[in-house]
Amino acid sequence: PDFKVGDTVDVKIDEKRREKLRKLHSAAHIVYYIVIDILGKVKINGSEIQPEKASMDFGYDKPLAEKLPEIEKAVNVFIAGNHDIAMLPDTEKSDLKWWTCNNWKMPCGGTHVKNTTEIGPLRLSRKNKGKGRERIEMYLTE
């Protein structure tokens, strides 16, 4: 960039892009908890949030194709259920924040919606990423 420490700069935030990221980031946490409710404890091998979609890779030995409709339905029912989402500071580590929704809690420093209904309906799709690795992609439908 053409500036240095101490210079004054103008920053512009793309609100539409940020809103999509906020919705998909919150949705990814919900998808994770629904997945472990349905499949049992599975390992996350990676995740990515982009304005167009979010994705999460799971260690899982079977194809998710049969379970995906059940997961998508449960995710959308939960999202429509009007659940508050909060970002809470850690009581011991000042640089740590916790994403919380109902009884769910995980460390996270990202931006999120305040209520699940702000996300709107999601469409999920499955990608096979190799033996023992399944990807769920998340798309906003509104």
Side-chain angles (χ1 to χ4, degrees):
D2 191 21
F3 58 87
K4 60 188 178 307
V5 174
D7 285 352
T8 299
V9 297
D10 289 322
V11 177
K12 294 182 182 174
I13 296 174
D14 182 337
E15 285 296 326
K16 287 184 180 187
R17 181 180 188 278
R18 187 173 176 90
E19 184 64 19
K20 289 177 185 178
L21 291 169
R22 189 173 18 252
K23 288 177 178 184
L24 285 167
H25 193 166
S26 297
H29 288 300
I30 294 165
V31 168
Y32 168 75
Y33 282 106
I34 298 292
V35 165
I36 64 173
D37 282 349
I38 292 173
L39 302 180
K41 188 71 172 166
V42 292
K43 182 181 178 190
I44 295 178
N45 294 324
S47 64
E48 185 174 11
I49 312 294
Q50 300 175 17
E52 303 81 32
K53 70 177 178 181
S55 63
M56 193 171 300
D57 295 349
F58 295 94
Y60 192 67
D61 291 330
K62 302 173 194 170
L64 284 175
E66 288 183 17
K67 294 288 187 178
L68 196 61
E70 179 184 356
I71 293 168
E72 182 176 286
K73 180 178 179 182
V75 165
N76 282 312
V77 166
F78 186 85
I79 286 170
N82 194 26
H83 303 278
D84 289 334
I85 294 173
M87 293 299 296
L88 303 175
D90 188 87
T91 57
E92 297 177 14
K93 297 179 182 176
S94 62
D95 62 336
L96 181 61
K97 292 190 184 259
W98 292 91
W99 176 91
T100 62
C101 184
N102 291 3
N103 294 325
W104 296 336
K105 177 180 177 181
M106 77 169 50
C108 185
T111 61
H112 293 280
V113 298
K114 294 184 187 305
N115 188 284
T116 58
T117 58
E118 294 175 48
I119 298 168
L122 286 183
R123 181 178 57 82
L124 304 182
S125 68
R126 170 209 172 242
K127 300 273 188 209
N128 181 302
K129 298 304 289 179
K131 185 174 179 167
R133 191 167 168 177
E134 292 283 314
R135 174 174 288 172
I136 294 178
E137 294 181 335
M138 299 153 245
Y139 299 89
L140 299 171
T141 61
E142 293 183 346

